[in-house]
Amino acid sequence: QVQLVESGGGSVQAGGSLRLSCVASVYTYSSYCMGWFRQGPGKEREGVAAIDSFGTTSYADSVKGRFTISQDNAKNTLYLQMNSLNPEDTAMYYCAADLSIAPWLCLQRRSTDFNFWGQGTQVTVSS
């Protein structure tokens, strides 16, 4: 069973930065897909970024150039570095994982393809 625990959310002013962390028990597996999703008030869940076990990444257009997904296998941790935050980034952020998804599908960032989810961490950006 995969366990995911997020941390690092909080409140920040527009233009600021935050780094989210997700301690994940997937890194003992040879193949996996990890992703960050968010859901703002009254909005659908959005796939923000994904990374496969080869280290290939993909991003939503809304965060390209501002957010960076990375992982530290030795620390069993996935990160999301978020820079130049704006109020539209306000949302609950979730870490997600799957062990059987094909890499090309992983990078599509579709929430229905991920079977394991963390509890979420809130990010609030004020103007």
Side-chain angles (χ1 to χ4, degrees):
Q1 185 72 9
V2 173
Q3 294 185 330
L4 307 170
V5 180
E6 304 102 328
S7 62
S11 296
V12 65
Q13 289 192 327
S17 299
L18 284 173
R19 187 176 79 160
L20 305 183
S21 300
C22 173
V23 178
S25 60
V26 301
Y27 293 103
T28 56
Y29 296 90
S30 59
S31 178
Y32 57 83
C33 172
M34 297 291 295
W36 287 101
F37 292 78
R38 68 184 181 186
Q39 189 163 16
K43 297 182 180 180
E44 293 187 355
R45 187 165 294 189
E46 175 188 21
V48 174
I51 186 167
D52 65 19
S53 50
F54 300 100
T56 305
T57 60
S58 73
Y59 296 92
D61 288 343
S62 57
V63 306
K64 277 182 182 176
R66 300 189 298 122
F67 290 12
T68 303
I69 188 171
S70 63
Q71 56 193 2
D72 185 333
N73 294 44
K75 295 183 178 180
N76 295 327
T77 303
L78 177 75
Y79 301 101
L80 184 68
Q81 178 66 45
M82 306 185 294
N83 299 328
S84 302
L85 285 161
N86 59 64
E88 289 69 43
D89 297 315
T90 294
M92 184 70 79
Y93 283 72
Y94 299 90
C95 172
D98 197 81
L99 300 178
S100 60
I101 188 174
W104 70 270
L105 198 57
C106 167
L107 300 176
Q108 300 298 311
R109 303 182 312 277
R110 300 186 310 190
S111 61
T112 52
D113 292 326
F114 289 74
N115 284 312
F116 304 101
W117 292 84
Q119 81 287 353
T121 185
Q122 177 68 37
V123 171
T124 302
V125 185
S126 59
S127 57

